[in-house]
Amino acid sequence: MASVTFQNVFKKFGDLEIIKNLNIHVEDKEFLVLVGPSGCGKTTALRLLAGLEEITDGEIKIGERVVNDVAPKDRDIAMVFQSYALYPHLSVYDNMAFGLKLRKTPKEEIKKRVNDAAEILDITHLLDRKPRQLSGGQRQRVAVGRAIVREPKVFLFDEPLSNLDAKLRVQMRAEISKLHQRLQTTFIYVTHDQTEAMTMASRIAVINKGLLQQLDTPQALYDKPNNLFVAGFIGSPAMNFFSATLNVSDGKVLVETDSFKVQIPEALSAPYKNLGGKNIIFGIRPENIHDPEFAPPNIHGEKVSVKVDVTELMGNETFLYLMSGKNTFIARVDPRSKKRVGDDMQVIFDMDKFHIFDASTEEAVR
Amino acid sequence: MAISKSTQKARKKRQSNLPYLYLLPAFLIMGVITFYPLIYQVIISFTNFESKHLLLGLRSPELEFIGFKNYIDIFTAALPVENFNFFRVLTFNFWWAISNVFLHVPAGVLIATLLNTEGLWLKKIYRAAYILPVVVPPLVVATVWTNIFDERYGAMNQLLAIIGGFFGNPDPVYIRWFEDVKPPIPGFLPGAPLTLAYYAMMIANFWLGWPFMSVVATGALQSIPKDLYEAASIDGATGSQQFWNITVPLLRPAMIPAAVYGFTLSFNLFNFVFFMTGGGPARSTELLVTFAYNLVRNLRWYGVAAAFAVIIFIVALIVFLITNRITRATQNYQEAG
């Protein structure tokens, strides 16, 4: 049980700066997910914490102990690798017992811990098999089991689900969440999949180009993204963006794109009143664009004329790919919507749920 | 209906004969150059065939069938050849092959592992350099090493003299590597005393043998996923524990066939042994193959040589069957992932 702290951490490979001034504090027993696109430095951050890479500058603490110069084996962590990294010549039992044997744990104790872990993960019947005799999902469980038996202070997961098929991924996602509740230990989990991040994390750190973009709870990230990157990265389908200018007249704030104008509701317009003429990026999530027939009541709706380009029927919802002038965007509407490809229609923007970003700094303006 | 059935049958017959027709030329050639001499050899192994019978061969009027006498003479050391004992040669031959493998494989693995170190400078140059001994003709290697072990002018004795000088003994060293029959470690190999010449050959053949093992090990090492080492380092394994628990077991599937190959190669390493010691001194470094060659080339006892060759064939067959078993028993680990 321990907290984890990254304090002003830098990592360079030659001249390449992979991590720039990372500051994260992970509370004890927290489930923190590091998320970001490929190559953003999230895996490097995890490897720095594991001790598989040396940090260039800064401090990493596990609990109160600075571990910069501590060998991986002495950091009291366990890691689950993307490739699982199971020892192919050892049985499942020996794979899980390997770390304990090296630490000269008594045989009885090893047996108990391995059996307990196997039971939690439902792999007791596989203990005698070799990794090559297992399916992807089973290997995944063994890799997790190998981490559990060590009873570490911190669990590290490096994209553990990315080699599994979609269905298994959903299932394992739930199991890892359950495991976290059961073990009550700090979990640090790296993924490029924002769905995984949203579903499992107690807090998410969004990283891009080696920089921490935002660190917050999943809901806060979704509702109040700090900048354009976070807004675009969290949520699927992604938030729609429009280049626009703010127009303030008679105390009303209007967002003007090249094809439509929408008004910001009076109650929310205060931060924008002095920004008349400013170039901004206007953002709205697909589920906040409605088919007028099915629009919820009591919203500050603004009508926008569009043409339907593509429709995707998902059964429980329908995605409309819409065009307005040169702007293309997606609406996630009620499945009963009758709109089809080529139709001209009006959609309703729920103006209680918009986002505005500074066009030059890409930071949120609120 | 009946007609079509019979034509079908005829076609089937023609089809089934065709492959044999295609095989015939190859079979004829093999018959002439392989099977005929093989059978001929087995036949003359039961005769007193000598030089004088070469002209008429099996039709020679003086040729006598002497049953298993040649075989018995070989096994009971009854041949009028100095210092010959079949079982000693056989023991030495096995020991020679085994000791070479036990030296070359670990050395190859160790050097390959060291050269696989990340961030090592000029890695490719080392790897190119150590493949050189493999491509030098064995005759050249044997000649060079014979010179190195020369009693008066050889580099080895000079090196030993320098080392001796370092420890305060200025005397020149004159070790007679290829002549001394007294084994330096008496009783080391029961039944086949190992002379200095054996150790000289081991040193020279080491130079010749490890690079191949190292090449195989290098290839196998590069196929071991790096994250296994990372997982092990988190699990708590030190460098040497990683070597013993991951590198060694994962190299096994590649190294066992290589070791088996090395064994058979050393077992029949005719040219190197023949050119370096000629089986001496006092036949102490004789292999089965070099002795067989002696029987024909120098003594011209074709009958005995034929019997000896049949024995070698049977020994080689047994070795082959065993090694084949070992190789096949080596399972390939499929990578996890």
Side-chain angles (χ1 to χ4, degrees):
Chain A
M1 318 303 122
S3 62
V4 170
T5 311
F6 287 84
Q7 208 162 16
N8 304 329
V9 170
F10 285 83
K11 174 65 187 175
K12 288 180 195 167
F13 288 109
D15 289 337
L16 202 62
E17 221 169 34
I18 303 293
I19 289 184
K20 298 160 196 163
N21 199 14
L22 186 63
N23 285 289
I24 297 179
H25 180 75
V26 188
E27 294 294 343
D28 185 19
K29 299 177 188 172
E30 194 172 10
F31 194 139
L32 182 90
V33 175
L34 298 173
V35 69
S38 313
C40 73
K42 57 193 188 299
T43 294
T44 306
L46 196 74
R47 292 169 60 85
L48 289 174
L49 176 56
L52 299 173
E53 310 278 354
E54 273 182 46
I55 74 173
T56 310
D57 201 5
E59 245 177 29
I60 295 181
K61 283 195 228 167
I62 297 177
E64 287 309 306
R65 183 167 70 137
V66 177
V67 292
N68 287 15
D69 300 319
V70 176
K73 67 186 174 80
D74 299 325
R75 293 192 181 195
D76 210 353
I77 47 161
M79 183 157 167
V80 177
F81 290 79
Q82 180 175 3
S83 61
Y84 318 139
L86 300 179
Y87 310 120
H89 56 293
L90 298 181
S91 69
V92 167
Y93 182 93
D94 288 330
N95 259 285
M96 289 165 69
F98 185 73
L100 298 175
K101 279 182 188 165
L102 290 176
R103 278 157 217 269
K104 307 233 155 42
T105 313
K107 263 208 174 120
E108 282 308 307
E109 173 75 13
I110 293 178
K111 203 170 169 188
K112 188 181 166 294
R113 287 210 216 168
V114 171
N115 285 332
D116 287 353
E119 204 151 300
I120 293 174
L121 296 162
D122 197 17
I123 50 172
T124 309
H125 59 296
L126 304 175
L127 285 176
D128 294 330
R129 300 216 192 144
K130 292 273 169 70
R132 78 185 121 87
Q133 295 165 304
L134 306 178
S135 69
Q138 290 169 334
R139 287 179 196 178
Q140 177 61 61
R141 281 161 201 269
V142 177
V144 173
R146 187 170 63 181
I148 292 177
V149 295
R150 295 258 318 282
E151 297 179 358
K153 280 190 188 144
V154 183
F155 279 95
L156 310 181
F157 294 85
D158 183 11
E159 309 220 9
L161 305 185
S162 54
N163 289 352
L164 300 179
D165 63 56
K167 201 175 159 193
L168 205 53
R169 209 177 300 166
V170 174
Q171 189 190 334
M172 283 306 290
R173 218 156 67 190
E175 290 198 22
I176 290 177
S177 291
K178 247 195 284 175
L179 192 67
H180 176 245
Q181 284 163 16
R182 178 168 186 157
L183 296 179
Q184 294 287 315
T185 308
T186 313
F187 275 39
I188 298 181
Y189 187 107
V190 162
T191 179
H192 62 267
D193 181 347
Q194 60 92 23
T195 318
E196 271 176 35
M198 293 295 283
T199 49
M200 295 194 290
S202 34
R203 281 195 306 160
I204 300 176
V206 183
I207 298 177
N208 188 35
K209 294 179 182 161
L211 283 167
L212 179 64
Q213 306 288 321
Q214 192 169 356
L215 173 59
D216 217 327
T217 60
Q219 198 60 49
L221 279 184
Y222 191 81
D223 293 339
K224 290 195 168 144
N226 273 350
N227 58 35
L228 197 63
F229 177 81
V230 176
F233 194 80
I234 300 291
S236 172
M239 188 187 287
N240 297 303
F241 295 119
F242 305 89
S243 287
T245 36
L246 282 179
N247 197 338
V248 185
S249 61
D250 303 341
K252 287 181 185 171
V253 181
L254 285 175
V255 173
E256 286 188 21
T257 73
D258 54 6
S259 60
F260 63 84
K261 281 184 204 174
V262 286
Q263 191 193 334
I264 293 178
E266 208 65 51
L268 302 170
S269 64
Y272 312 107
K273 287 214 157 136
N274 298 324
L275 300 175
K278 190 174 175 62
N279 288 327
I280 54 142
I281 291 173
F282 172 72
I284 186 159
R285 292 202 183 271
E287 64 267 31
N288 299 325
I289 303 174
H290 302 282
D291 182 331
E293 269 187 71
F294 304 102
N298 308 326
I299 58 169
H300 286 96
E302 284 282 310
K303 286 186 177 164
V304 173
S305 300
V306 294
K307 190 181 172 75
V308 180
D309 192 20
V310 176
T311 61
E312 282 181 350
L313 306 168
M314 310 298 286
N316 60 340
E317 59 196 8
T318 296
F319 295 140
L320 300 177
Y321 290 71
L322 306 168
M323 284 195 299
S324 166
K326 282 180 195 159
N327 297 309
T328 59
F329 56 100
I330 301 176
R332 181 184 199 162
V333 299
D334 194 284
R336 291 168 293 174
S337 169
K338 306 253 173 356
K339 297 298 181 285
R340 292 298 173 257
V341 175
D343 289 356
D344 285 310
M345 66 181 290
Q346 289 202 314
V347 288
I348 294 188
F349 281 22
D350 178 353
M351 290 306 289
D352 294 323
K353 295 185 178 149
F354 67 91
H355 302 266
I356 283 178
F357 304 95
D358 187 316
S360 51
T361 64
E362 302 190 347
E363 294 295 323
V365 185
R366 36 176 111 93
Chain B
M1 191 77 173
I3 296 166
S4 83
K5 212 171 196 177
S6 73
T7 46
Q8 244 179 23
K9 225 176 198 176
R11 193 186 302 148
K12 214 171 192 180
K13 195 171 182 195
R14 236 182 302 136
Q15 269 181 352
S16 63
N17 283 337
L18 210 56
Y20 297 108
L21 195 68
Y22 289 145
L23 283 173
L24 193 65
F27 199 76
L28 281 178
I29 292 168
M30 277 193 71
V32 171
I33 66 170
T34 307
F35 299 123
Y36 172 68
L38 208 69
I39 294 161
Y40 195 89
Q41 174 184 296
V42 174
I43 294 170
I44 65 172
S45 74
F46 295 107
T47 69
N48 62 349
F49 205 106
E50 283 176 42
S51 301
K52 56 188 173 186
H53 303 117
L54 278 174
L55 194 59
L56 294 174
L58 292 179
R59 281 167 294 141
S60 180
E62 301 152 58
L63 191 69
E64 278 177 51
F65 277 84
I66 52 174
F68 282 93
K69 183 169 183 302
N70 287 335
Y71 291 90
I72 293 162
D73 284 354
I74 289 167
F75 288 133
T76 58
L79 293 177
V81 182
E82 270 182 24
N83 302 317
F84 174 70
N85 176 326
F86 173 78
F87 293 102
R88 203 200 66 213
V89 173
L90 187 70
T91 311
F92 175 78
N93 205 154
F94 270 102
W95 173 251
W96 161 252
I98 289 169
S99 58
N100 272 310
V101 168
F102 272 80
L103 209 61
H104 298 169
V105 173
V109 168
L110 196 70
I111 293 168
T113 309
L114 292 177
L115 289 186
N116 206 35
T117 311
E118 225 172 294
L120 188 71
W121 285 14
L122 308 176
K123 212 187 268 192
K124 284 185 180 160
I125 293 178
Y126 304 137
R127 284 192 183 146
Y130 71 50
I131 197 69
L132 272 177
V134 179
V135 294
V136 178
L139 171 60
V140 175
V141 176
T143 311
V144 168
W145 279 97
T146 313
N147 288 333
I148 287 176
F149 285 110
D150 186 88
E151 180 192 335
R152 278 197 171 267
Y153 312 108
M156 187 57 76
N157 282 349
Q158 289 181 22
L159 177 72
L160 292 175
I162 291 168
I163 294 170
F166 191 73
F167 288 104
N169 180 0
D171 299 339
V173 175
Y174 294 120
I175 294 174
R176 298 161 73 232
W177 290 93
F178 295 124
E179 285 87 31
D180 210 334
V181 290
K182 205 172 90 178
I185 310 170
F188 182 47
L189 181 65
L194 299 171
T195 55
L196 270 176
Y198 161 77
Y199 297 98
M201 266 164 49
M202 285 299 290
I203 292 169
N205 197 38
F206 177 73
W207 182 82
L208 203 60
W210 74 262
F212 171 75
M213 298 301 167
S214 201
V215 169
V216 175
T218 300
L221 275 176
Q222 282 166 352
S223 73
I224 301 179
K226 219 179 102 198
D227 51 14
L228 289 184
Y229 293 101
E230 293 181 343
S233 75
I234 291 176
D235 266 343
T238 60
S240 69
Q241 280 171 331
Q242 286 175 30
F243 179 77
W244 289 110
N245 286 301
I246 296 173
T247 309
V248 169
L250 291 183
L251 282 184
R252 238 187 52 171
M255 293 322 289
I256 285 183
V260 166
Y261 172 77
F263 178 85
T264 43
L265 201 73
S266 301
F267 194 82
N268 292 323
L269 194 65
F270 174 80
N271 42 21
F272 176 78
V273 176
F274 185 78
F275 291 127
M276 204 160 156
T277 65
R283 301 204 187 284
S284 65
T285 59
E286 199 90 80
L287 302 182
L288 292 173
V289 280
T290 56
F291 187 72
Y293 184 77
N294 261 328
L295 286 173
V296 179
R297 186 79 186 88
N298 301 329
L299 304 168
R300 300 195 171 257
W301 294 341
Y302 295 96
V304 180
F308 201 81
V310 170
I311 295 168
I312 294 178
F313 174 75
I314 292 165
V315 171
L317 189 71
I318 293 167
V319 169
F320 170 78
L321 290 175
I322 294 170
T323 54
N324 202 24
R325 193 70 180 265
I326 295 172
T327 314
R328 251 191 313 169
T330 317
Q331 52 175 355
N332 247 310
Y333 303 121
Q334 197 188 320
E335 266 178 40

